[in-house]
Amino acid sequence: MKERKSVRRRILRITTVVLVALLILAAGMLAVTKIIHDSIYPRFQRNAVEDALNIKISDQSTGYPTEEIAFKSGDNTLRGYISGDEDATSLVVIVPGLSAGAEDYTSIAMEFMDLGYKVFSFDTTGSFESEGENSVGFSQIVADLKSALDYITKNPELKDLELNLFGHSRGGYGAAMVADDGYNLNAIATVGGVNSPMEITMEWSESYVGAFAYTGYPALYLYQNMIFGSDIMGTSAADALDESGVRALVIHCENDATVDVDGSAIFAHKDEVESKNAEFMLYENPQNAGHTTLLYTQNANTYRQKITQDYENLSEKYGGNIPADIEEDFINSIDSQKAKEPNRELIKLISDFYKNKK
C-alpha cells in the first residue's frame, strides 16, 4: 500500500514538473513570437528616396480638389484624404498594402478621379501621418478599414455615394474581410490580395527557414488570436467574399513574387468561392506582372529601379555617408510623375467592373 502511494506521489511530481516545464516553454515561445511578430509590424516611415518617388497629396490637390480628414481607429487618430469633383456619384476607397499609405497610391487615385470617381485614401495605424506606436499586425487593416467606412457612412457628403473598394495586397485582404459587415458596397476589386494572415506569414517564413517555420505556428496563431480575436483569425478573405455575395473582382498575376498566386493569394482559393458575384482574373502582362509593378507602366517600373540603383551607387561611392548637398540634389532630381505612371489599362478594367452591374 505504501509502495503504491509512493509511486503515485512520484507520478504526480513528474507530471507536475512536466506540466510546469511545458507552461514555461509555451510562455517562452509566446514571448519570442511576440518579439518576432512586433519586429515585422513596426511603425512605418519612408526614407528620403521612397518619399521622393511618391506623388505628394499636396501636388495632387493642385489639379484635384482634396480635403484632409481625421478619424479614430481604436485609440489612434488616422489621417485620410477625400479627393475629386463634388459632382461625382461614385466613391473608391483605396485600401493600402503593408508598409504603404495614401501617397503610395496617389497616381492610382488620380486615374480613378479622371474616370469620374471621388477617392478616399488613408494611412493605417502606425503608418506615416497616422498615429500608432507600431502597425499592430496584419489584420489591423480590417479594423482601420471599418473605421474609415464608418466615417464615410456618417459623412453627409459621402454617405450617399456608390461605394467601391480597391484593395492592394494586405488591402485586398482587408477589402474582402469587410464585405459581409453590413456596408452598402457596390463592388470590391483586389489586386495581389492575401487570403489570410497565417497563410502569408507561413509562406514568407518558409521561404527563409523551410519547414522549420511551422514549429512556431501554434504560438503565432495564439498571439494573433489574442490581438484580433477568433472571428478575424477564423475567417479568410475567400470565406468573406463567398458569404457576402458582394460583387468582387480578384486580380492576381502569375509572376507575383510577394504573394504566391498558388499559395497565400485569394486567387489560390477561387474554387472555394461559390458566389456567382465573384470573378477571378489572372492578369497576363509580362512587362508588368509583379506584385506592385502591376499597378504601374513598364517605363515607371524601370525608372524606379534605376533611381534605387543610382542611390545605392551614390551611397557606396561615399561610404554610406552621402554629403547633404549631393543627396539633396539627387532627391530633387527624382520625377515622381514618371516614377508612378499608372497602369491605365488595369484601372480602366476595374472601373468597368464597378460600373457593370449585371
Side-chain angles (χ1 to χ4, degrees):
M1 188 70 176
K2 287 182 180 180
E3 186 176 340
R4 281 193 219 159
K5 287 183 179 179
S6 178
V7 169
R8 283 200 296 268
R9 281 197 296 270
R10 285 201 298 273
I11 293 172
L12 181 59
R13 281 198 298 269
I14 292 170
T15 302
T16 301
V17 169
V18 169
L19 287 175
V20 169
L22 288 174
L23 285 172
I24 292 172
L25 178 62
M29 287 186 65
L30 198 58
V32 171
T33 297
K34 181 183 187 309
I35 292 170
I36 296 173
H37 180 275
D38 292 354
S39 71
I40 297 172
Y41 299 100
R43 178 166 179 80
F44 291 115
Q45 297 290 351
R46 302 181 186 93
N47 62 38
V49 173
E50 292 169 340
D51 194 50
L53 286 169
N54 283 336
I55 301 170
K56 302 292 179 290
I57 297 290
S58 57
D59 293 339
Q60 166 200 281
S61 64
T62 58
Y64 305 86
T66 298
E67 174 190 358
E68 183 175 349
I69 55 94
F71 58 95
K72 282 285 189 181
S73 180
D75 294 330
N76 295 306
T77 298
L78 307 190
R79 301 293 176 184
Y81 307 89
I82 303 167
S83 307
D85 293 334
E86 61 180 18
D87 58 353
T89 59
S90 296
L91 178 70
V92 174
V93 179
I94 296 180
V95 196
L98 183 65
S99 78
E103 286 194 340
D104 291 276
Y105 301 92
T106 304
S107 64
I108 306 299
M110 292 165 68
E111 191 63 22
F112 274 122
M113 286 185 278
D114 285 344
L115 292 171
Y117 297 89
K118 192 180 282 286
V119 174
F120 185 104
S121 56
F122 65 102
D123 291 341
T124 57
T125 296
S127 301
F128 315 115
E129 301 303 316
S130 289
E131 292 180 348
E133 293 182 2
N134 54 50
S135 51
V136 186
F138 199 88
S139 293
Q140 182 61 32
I141 189 64
V142 180
D144 289 350
L145 178 55
K146 286 182 179 181
S147 296
L149 294 175
D150 289 341
Y151 176 92
I152 289 167
T153 57
K154 295 173 184 176
N155 185 299
E157 296 179 4
L158 302 177
K159 64 183 181 67
D160 294 325
L161 299 181
E162 181 182 82
L163 184 56
N164 305 284
L165 304 183
F166 170 86
H168 174 233
S169 191
R170 181 174 77 149
Y173 162 76
M177 289 291 286
V178 304
D180 201 30
D181 285 339
Y183 299 104
N184 187 24
L185 299 175
N186 173 56
I188 293 171
T190 73
V191 176
V194 173
N195 191 53
S196 75
M198 291 304 299
E199 286 177 72
I200 189 64
T201 302
M202 289 299 102
E203 185 171 282
W204 289 343
S205 299
E206 191 173 7
S207 69
Y208 286 106
V209 297
F212 181 74
Y214 288 89
T215 61
Y217 188 101
L220 179 61
Y221 183 88
L222 176 61
Y223 181 61
Q224 291 193 88
N225 196 78
M226 289 166 61
I227 300 172
F228 299 111
S230 58
D231 286 347
I232 291 291
M233 293 305 297
T235 304
S236 69
D239 292 336
L241 290 179
D242 190 41
E243 292 169 8
S244 72
V246 170
R247 289 197 307 121
L249 175 61
V250 177
I251 300 173
H252 217 96
C253 56
E254 59 185 354
N255 294 330
D256 191 326
T258 303
V259 179
D260 188 351
V261 66
D262 296 317
S264 64
I266 303 173
F267 189 91
H269 296 266
K270 59 184 180 297
D271 293 339
E272 301 168 21
V273 181
E274 297 180 0
S275 171
K276 295 181 180 179
N277 287 328
E279 297 182 21
F280 293 82
M281 173 181 290
L282 191 63
Y283 193 88
E284 297 180 359
N285 184 339
Q287 292 184 323
N288 275 16
H291 186 67
T292 298
T293 54
L294 179 62
L295 300 176
Y296 306 105
T297 65
Q298 180 62 28
N299 286 338
N301 296 330
T302 301
Y303 178 72
R304 290 199 313 281
Q305 289 175 346
K306 181 179 183 303
I307 290 296
T308 300
Q309 186 60 58
D310 287 350
Y311 188 77
E312 289 178 2
N313 294 341
L314 194 62
S315 180
E316 184 177 343
K317 177 181 177 180
Y318 289 100
N321 189 23
I322 305 172
D325 58 335
I326 293 177
E327 183 173 43
E328 183 178 1
D329 287 343
F330 181 87
I331 296 299
N332 289 337
S333 73
I334 294 175
D335 185 343
S336 60
Q337 298 284 344
K338 186 176 180 180
K340 289 297 182 77
E341 181 183 12
N343 180 349
R344 294 182 172 86
E345 175 188 75
L346 176 67
I347 304 306
K348 177 65 163 55
L349 184 154
I350 291 170
S351 174
D352 289 345
F353 178 79
Y354 289 156
K355 295 175 180 177
N356 186 20
K357 303 172 186 178
K358 297 177 182 179

